[in-house]
Every structure is written in C-alpha cells, then in structure tokens.
C-alpha cells in the first residue's frame, strides 16, 4: 500500500534532494495533494486519526500514514520518501547530520503531543507503587529480582511466582525510552518476552498474572492496572495523568515529534499547524495521549 | 528423422512464421526453467552481498558461543546468537518429536489401511492442510493454544517453545504425510504379497517389511519437514513468546533465528552493523536449510537405486 502510494505521489523531484529518485515532498496526483507521514508505532493510531479528520478540513489534501518505528520514519525522511517523520524520541546526532548532509537544512522537530509510558501489572498484583530501583532490579541486566518474592510481593493467581517480564522489540522507540529512563546506558536483562506492539504488551499483561510490562498510557484498559512511579525510594510515587505529564512531575513521559527536513512548507506546514491547534489537539486527547498545554498551541491555519 | 512419406510434406507446409514462433516458445520455456536457478542464486548473492563485509569483522566466538543478543545497546553491543540457535533447534526438535511419529503413522494408514472414498477424502484434507497460511497458524497459537497451555500446565504464559513446536508440527505434517505415503506406495506389491504368503499379520508386514523397504523415502519426508520447521517465521514469531533465553523446559519462551530477522530487519538502518549481522543470520539459515535439503536429496537418490 505504502509503495503504491509513494509511486502515485511521485511528483517533481525535491529541489534539494540531489539525485534522490523517490522525493515526494509536495508531490501531487491529479488535483489531490499528498502528504506522506511515516514513523513511530506509538503514534500510528493518533497520526491516522489526524489524517482522517484533516480530510474534512482540507478535502484536497490526502495524508498517507504508516508505522514501522521512529527509526524507520527518520530513515524515510533522510531518503526523501516522506514529508514528515513521526518520532517518539529525539533525533540522534547522526540522524541530524544525515538530514543536514542530504538536504543542506537542519531537521526541525515539532512537538505535537506527549506520551506517558505506564508500568502495567495484572489486576491481581497487590503492588501500589513502583520505584526506579525496583524497575532496575526487574529489567536491568544485572538486576537481581527474578521472582515476585524478591520484591516482597505475592500474587495469588501467579502459581510459580516468577516475574514474567514483557518488553518490546529492540528498535522500538518505546523500548529505547524505557531503557534510557530506567537503566541509562545499561542494557535489559535477557529473557524478556519482546512484544511487537504497544497493544500486544497490554493484552499480554491483562491475561498473565505473573507479568509486568510497559506501554503507552493511552493503551490502558479496565482489564489491567498501572502503577504510580517514583524516581527514587524517598520521592512520592506519581500516577500518570494529563496534569502530571504537563507539570512534568510524572517521570515516564516524553514529547512526541513530527520532524521535517528544514522548515515544513506548503501543505505539510499547514497540516502541522492544524495538528498543533485546538482542533488537532482535541484528537490527541481522544486517542489517549496527552495534548499540548495551551501555551504551546498554535492558531488554526 | 522419419522416413514415412507424409512427414516431409507436412514439414514443407510450415511457414517461417510458425518456425520462428516455435523457436521463440522453446527459448521462453528454457528461460522459465532457468529462472528458478537464477532466482535462487540471486537471492543467495543478495543475502551474501548485504552481509559479507561483516563476515570478516564479526567476533565469531561471541556470535556462535554467547547468548547475549544486544544489537542496540548503547554501552556494549553484543551479537551472540546461541540462544536464538537454541530457540530454533528446540522448536524444530519439539515439532519433529510430534510430527514424525504422527506423520509416518498417518502415511502408513493412508497408504496401507484405507482405500476408496476415505483415502481420497484424507488426501484432499492433507493437501488443504498444507495450504493454510502460516500467519493463520500463528493466530491459532495466540488465541487457542496459549490459554490452553496456561490451563493445562499452569505455565505463567502460553507463548513458549511448546506452543511453537505444536504449531510447527501441524505445519510439517502435510509434507511428511504426503511424501511418506509416496515412499510407501513405491514399495512393490510383491513385497506385500510375499509377507502375506509367509503368514505375517498386517502389523508385522508394516513394521518388518514396508517401513524398512521405504526407509529412505520416509527419511526424506522427515528431512523436508525439518526444513519447513527451521525456515518457518510468522507462526513462531507469534507463538513462541520471543524471548532471548536458553530454554530449559518446553514451557520456556524462546526466540528463533527467523523471528529475529523478521522482527528487527524492518527498523535497522540499511548497511549498519546490526543490519549486516541479520543478513549473516540469514546466511546461517541458508546454510542450515541447504545442508538439510542436500541430505534429503542424497537420501532420495539412495532410495531410487
């Protein structure tokens, strides 16, 4: 589908993309203009909701969204096959250099929403909070906690008492964010079940009493619980919520970006502005993410 | 050349257009035949090209001897595939312990114990079984086998080596049954008649006459099944739990070589070390399946002699 769309959208070559055969920025087919967006799996749902809603606002512009991960989106931006890259992490220095080298412009990262990761456990798990130290013991390569009893926790429906660690595949933005926050430069303990998506983690936790997992706050359902998180043992544990993300007291939250090579132009610029306006931000809330605070919003285009 | 009086006249009537057309079709058919060979070689060449610069740089001791698979570490990147190899081996072995006895048994049943309608129905059912897409099997593993294993074994999670092995067994069975049945069918009827004439029961005939006589063909059936099991991706990706871990029990989650490639290749930067190592894993899979197919081929040849 994506390939087909990018073929259709293959307009005149991007003026700065020297020798790039697949530049689609500003491409059009017939009267319909096309904006290509790719990247973070965390952002796929919300990006699709934006694209659908934007159709009503601007019927002549079609937005094509696909996932694949933050790294994939940025790689596609470097290759010139997309106009905007969805990314749930800050760009790496080497990625910025690639953009600079290719387009002779700086990459510009626009904050479009916030994501808060939540630490999820099964409903039967009696824990009321979790500290960074506990997460390090559970997830860290040298962490000592392999059984719930190591943390002084007993889960009635978890027969053998082992901690079933759920994680993500090793190049998802969620994986990197959680690893960086919990372990810094360190690595995860081997043997975690690595799920392919945010929803898979939540589903698996809901059906596995012995498990613990991390996933977007927007994926919370009534079938499982999240734990308030604290950065150190003395600090108060903070529950994930819009308010705690905005006042930056909830530690496990991050901005979500849409990145363009150079300042976005034309349709893509208007699309970005719409996303950062009240209309676009209303959708963020519905999708379970945290919208921008009023001060960071832009007027509707 | 025929000397019959009619042939030259027929030949004379053929126009040059027809002759050229025939020649073209001949070339086309040749090209079709060759394309299979060319495709296989180009796939191999592609996999090799993407990964070969890594071959020299790779720490082979770690690659083959360590379970530490940390391709995206910030502090210490490690490419140990031992756990992945063990994952592939455990799932494939598990699948074979289920699929070989059941498959050979089914082949014997279809070939020797049933006839007429039942045989036709069974053969069609087996062929349909071979056509079920692997993602469907993966889904079955996820939503049916997973809760079943939790209930049956009190496992903390049903996505594990056993789940993957059961699915793979189901997927290999059609191959093993149909190739195995062909092997049994190739045993001359005179063997059966001789066995019956000696007063052998049907059980004795199957165990002492037919199985030894069809030994090579049956072995080839099993090896083709193993090849399928090792190469399978989607079903094991969904059903094994995808954990880098040396399995100590069938209820442990594992991760296979193929699932690792499928899960990670999409998001690695082209040409990076991680990308190239995934292609080296591809070469390793190529080597494993090549050896297995070669063995199967040699054994089939042996059985024809």
């Amino acid at each position: 589908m994506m390939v087909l769309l990018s073929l259709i959208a293959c307009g005149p070559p991007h003026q700065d993309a020297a020798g790039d055969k697949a530049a689609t920025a500003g491409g059009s087919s017939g009267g319909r203009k096309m904006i290509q967006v790719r990247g973070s799996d965390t952002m796929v749902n919300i990006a699709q909701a934006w694209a659908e809603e934007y159709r009503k606002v601007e019927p002549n512009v079609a937005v094509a969204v696909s996932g694949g991960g933050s790294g994939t989106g940025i790689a596609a931006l470097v290759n010139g096959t997309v106009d905007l890259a969805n990314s749930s992490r800050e760009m790496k220095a080497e990625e910025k250099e690639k953009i600079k080298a290719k387009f002779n412009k700086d990459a510009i990262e626009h904050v479009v929403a916030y994501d808060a990761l939540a630490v999820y456990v099964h409903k039967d798990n009696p824990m009321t909070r979790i500290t960074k130290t506990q997460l390090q013991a559970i997830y860290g390569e040298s962490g000592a906690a392999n059984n719930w009893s190591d943390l002084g926790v007993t889960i009635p429906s978890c027969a053998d008492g082992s901690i079933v660690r759920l994680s993500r595949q090793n190049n998802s933005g969620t994986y990197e964010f959680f690893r960086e926050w919990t372990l810094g430069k360190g690595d995860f303990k081997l043997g975690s079940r690595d799920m392919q998506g945010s929803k898979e983690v939540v589903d698996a936790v809901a059906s596995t009493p012995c498990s613990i997992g991390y996933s977007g706050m927007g994926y919370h359902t009534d079938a499982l619980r999240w734990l308030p998180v604290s950065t150190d043992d003395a600090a108060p544990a903070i529950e994930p919520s819009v308010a705690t993300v905005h006042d930056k007291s909830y530690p496990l939250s991050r901005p979500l970006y849409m990145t363009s090579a150079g300042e976005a132009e034309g349709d893509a610029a208007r699309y970005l502005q719409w996303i950062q306006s009240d209309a676009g931000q209303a959708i963020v809330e519905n999708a379970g993410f945290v919208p921008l605070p009023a001060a960071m919003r832009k007027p509707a285009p | 050349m025929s000397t019959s009086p009619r042939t030259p006249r027929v030949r004379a009537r053929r126009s040059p257009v027809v002759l050229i057309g025939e020649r073209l079709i001949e070339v086309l058919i040749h090209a079709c035949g060759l394309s299979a060979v060319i495709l296989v070689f180009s796939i191999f060449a592609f996999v090799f090209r993407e990964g070969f610069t890594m071959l020299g740089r790779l720490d082979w001791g770690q690659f083959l001897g360590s379970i530490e698979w940390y391709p995206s570490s910030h502090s210490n990147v490690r490419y140990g595939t031992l756990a992945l190899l063990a994952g592939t081996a455990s799932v494939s072995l598990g699948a074979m312990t289920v699929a070989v006895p059941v498959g050979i048994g089914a082949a014997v049943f279809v070939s020797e114990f049933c006839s007429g309608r039942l045989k036709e129905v069974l053969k069609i059912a087996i062929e349909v079984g071979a056509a079920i897409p692997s993602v469907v099997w993966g889904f079955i593993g996820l939503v049916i086998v997973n809760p079943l294993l939790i209930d049956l074994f009190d496992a903390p999670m049903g996505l594990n080596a056993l789940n993957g092995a059961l699915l793979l067994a189901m997927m290999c069975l059609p191959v093993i049954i149909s190739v195995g049945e062909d092997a049994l069918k190739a045993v001359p009827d005179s063997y059966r008649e001789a066995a019956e004439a000696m007063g052998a029961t049907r059980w004795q005939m199957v165990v002492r006459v037919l199985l030894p006589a069809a030994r090579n063909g049956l072995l080839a059936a099993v090896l083709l099944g193993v090849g399928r099991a090792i190469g399978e991706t989607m079903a094991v990706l969904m059903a094994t739990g995808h954990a880098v871990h040396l399995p100590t029990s069938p209820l442990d989650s594992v991760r296979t070589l193929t699932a690792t490639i499928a899960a990670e290749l999409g998001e690695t930067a082209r040409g990076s070390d991680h990308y190239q190592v995934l292609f080296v894993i591809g070469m390793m899979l190529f080597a494993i399946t090549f050896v297995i197919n070669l063995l199967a081929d040699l054994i089939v040849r042996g059985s024809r002699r």
Side-chain angles (χ1 to χ4, degrees):
Chain A
M1 185 61 182
M2 200 47 220
V3 176
L4 189 70
L5 285 176
S6 44
L7 282 178
I8 293 168
C10 225
H14 197 291
Q15 51 188 23
D16 299 307
D20 185 15
K21 54 184 180 287
T24 59
S28 63
S29 73
R32 204 105 189 264
K33 297 191 188 102
M34 192 68 112
I35 301 174
Q36 299 283 346
V37 183
R38 185 187 296 187
S40 163
D41 281 322
T42 314
M43 291 171 72
V44 158
N45 288 343
I46 187 175
Q48 243 144 21
W50 275 326
E52 274 161 35
E53 189 64 26
Y54 196 62
R55 261 193 132 110
K56 296 174 198 158
V57 181
E58 193 88 48
N60 289 329
V61 177
V63 183
V65 177
S66 61
S70 303
T72 311
I74 294 169
L77 189 67
V78 173
N79 291 335
T81 51
V82 298
D83 303 277
L84 297 165
N86 289 336
S87 173
S88 52
R89 58 167 167 81
E90 261 181 59
M91 280 180 100
K92 295 171 185 164
E94 63 200 60
E95 287 167 340
K96 285 183 179 163
E97 277 161 26
K98 276 185 195 159
I99 296 272
K100 181 87 179 161
K102 184 112 184 194
F103 298 99
N104 197 25
K105 289 177 182 172
D106 287 321
I108 298 184
E109 300 171 278
H110 309 265
V111 177
V112 290
Y114 292 93
D115 177 26
L117 289 190
V119 176
Y120 290 104
V121 291
H122 191 264
K123 285 215 132 163
D124 293 349
N125 191 314
M127 287 178 97
T128 53
R129 53 175 275 174
I130 195 155
T131 65
K132 198 182 208 172
T133 326
Q134 285 173 319
L135 285 172
Q136 284 164 348
I138 294 172
Y139 277 102
E141 197 181 0
S142 48
N146 291 312
N147 291 297
W148 285 106
S149 58
D150 298 335
L151 300 171
V153 176
T154 339
I155 305 166
S157 51
C158 169
D160 71 346
S162 62
I163 300 177
V164 174
R165 271 168 294 134
L166 297 171
S167 184
R168 290 291 310 280
Q169 83 271 21
N170 57 32
N171 20 31
S172 101
T174 311
Y175 170 100
E176 287 209 16
F177 176 52
F178 187 75
R179 179 178 66 182
E180 196 181 314
W181 185 80
T182 316
L183 308 167
K185 294 266 172 210
D187 283 307
F188 281 128
K189 200 188 290 177
L190 287 173
S192 59
R193 268 83 165 175
D194 302 338
M195 303 285 135
Q196 297 297 304
S198 300
K199 194 175 175 307
E200 278 85 341
V201 173
V202 174
D203 289 347
V205 172
S207 64
T208 314
C210 303
S211 67
I212 183 166
Y214 57 89
S215 188
M217 178 175 142
Y219 289 87
H220 180 265
T221 70
D222 291 338
L224 75 174
R225 304 169 50 222
W226 59 31
L227 294 174
V229 178
S230 63
T231 14
D232 62 74
D233 301 356
I238 311 286
E239 187 135 7
S241 73
V242 174
T244 54
V245 170
H246 274 175
D247 67 18
K248 299 195 168 66
S249 61
Y250 183 66
L252 260 173
S253 79
R254 59 178 173 174
L256 298 175
Y257 302 96
M258 287 176 81
T259 306
S260 54
E263 198 53 78
E265 287 160 16
D267 292 314
R270 268 197 298 283
Y271 183 51
L272 263 177
Q273 196 185 335
W274 175 80
I275 284 174
Q276 290 170 310
S277 74
D278 287 348
Q281 292 299 307
I283 294 166
V284 175
E285 211 155 5
N286 290 341
F289 290 100
V290 181
L292 299 173
M296 283 173 71
R297 299 199 187 180
K298 292 193 175 154
Chain B
M1 275 294 128
S2 168
T3 49
S4 128
R6 276 188 185 172
T7 316
R9 237 184 291 153
V10 173
R11 286 218 145 203
R13 242 186 260 147
R14 298 173 74 182
S15 71
V17 179
V18 173
L19 282 175
I20 290 170
E22 194 167 295
R23 184 88 197 118
L24 265 178
I25 287 171
E26 239 175 65
V27 170
L28 202 70
I29 290 173
H30 263 254
C32 289
L34 280 177
S35 69
V37 180
I38 292 170
L39 263 180
V40 169
F41 274 100
S42 10
I43 290 171
F44 185 75
F46 170 73
V47 171
F48 190 76
R49 191 194 70 188
E50 295 296 321
F52 86 101
T53 50
M54 201 67 213
L55 291 176
R57 282 185 290 139
L58 202 59
D59 176 355
W60 286 92
Q62 185 193 62
F63 186 70
L64 296 172
S66 160
I67 66 161
E68 294 179 347
W69 176 253
Y70 285 113
S72 63
S73 170
H74 281 311
S75 45
N76 183 10
V77 176
R78 282 153 286 174
Y79 298 112
T81 60
L82 187 62
L84 311 179
L85 267 171
T88 290
S90 65
V91 175
S92 306
L93 271 177
M96 285 302 118
T97 43
V98 178
V100 169
V102 176
I104 304 260
V108 168
F109 179 73
V110 172
S111 152
E112 305 300 322
F113 289 84
C114 68
S115 55
R117 260 245 169 92
L118 182 60
K119 187 166 181 167
E120 288 312 306
V121 171
L122 276 178
K123 285 178 93 166
I124 291 169
I126 290 161
E127 271 156 35
V128 171
I132 296 175
S134 65
V135 64
V136 173
W137 284 116
F139 193 67
I140 291 172
L142 217 54
V143 300
I144 298 175
V145 186
N146 178 26
L148 201 71
L149 291 182
I150 296 178
D151 283 350
L152 282 180
F153 297 106
D154 255 346
M157 217 183 173
L159 301 177
N160 50 33
L162 181 61
N163 190 335
L166 288 175
L167 292 185
L168 281 185
M170 294 302 294
M171 297 171 75
C172 303
L173 271 176
V175 180
I176 296 179
I177 297 173
S178 46
V179 178
E181 196 225 331
D182 284 346
L184 286 167
K185 212 162 51 187
V187 176
D189 275 343
S190 56
Y191 283 39
R192 295 181 180 85
E193 285 155 12
E196 273 176 15
M198 299 291 288
T201 62
R202 274 184 125 178
W203 169 252
Q204 286 170 328
M205 181 175 87
V206 167
V207 174
R208 304 219 182 136
V209 179
L210 294 180
L211 288 185
R215 190 184 58 221
N216 293 338
L218 292 174
L219 201 52
V222 169
L223 288 178
L224 283 174
V226 176
R228 168 106 214 234
I230 288 174
E232 176 47 44
T233 306
M234 210 50 222
V236 290
L237 177 63
M238 294 165 77
T240 54
H242 213 57
V244 182
H245 175 68
L246 272 185
T248 50
S249 113
L251 296 176
D252 282 354
S253 289
V254 295
R255 189 205 272 217
T256 64
L257 293 165
T258 48
T260 301
I261 297 179
E264 295 179 7
L265 191 59
E267 293 191 41
T268 51
R270 230 194 129 108
S272 64
D273 279 3
H274 184 187
Y275 178 88
Q276 294 190 10
V277 167
L278 290 176
F279 273 91
V280 175
I281 292 181
M283 283 185 232
M284 196 150 84
L285 276 168
F286 225 118
I288 295 171
T289 39
F290 178 75
V291 167
I292 287 166
N293 279 344
L294 191 72
L295 280 179
D297 198 50
L298 289 176
I299 288 164
V300 171
R301 264 172 218 217
S303 76
R304 286 217 191 100
R305 218 166 270 150

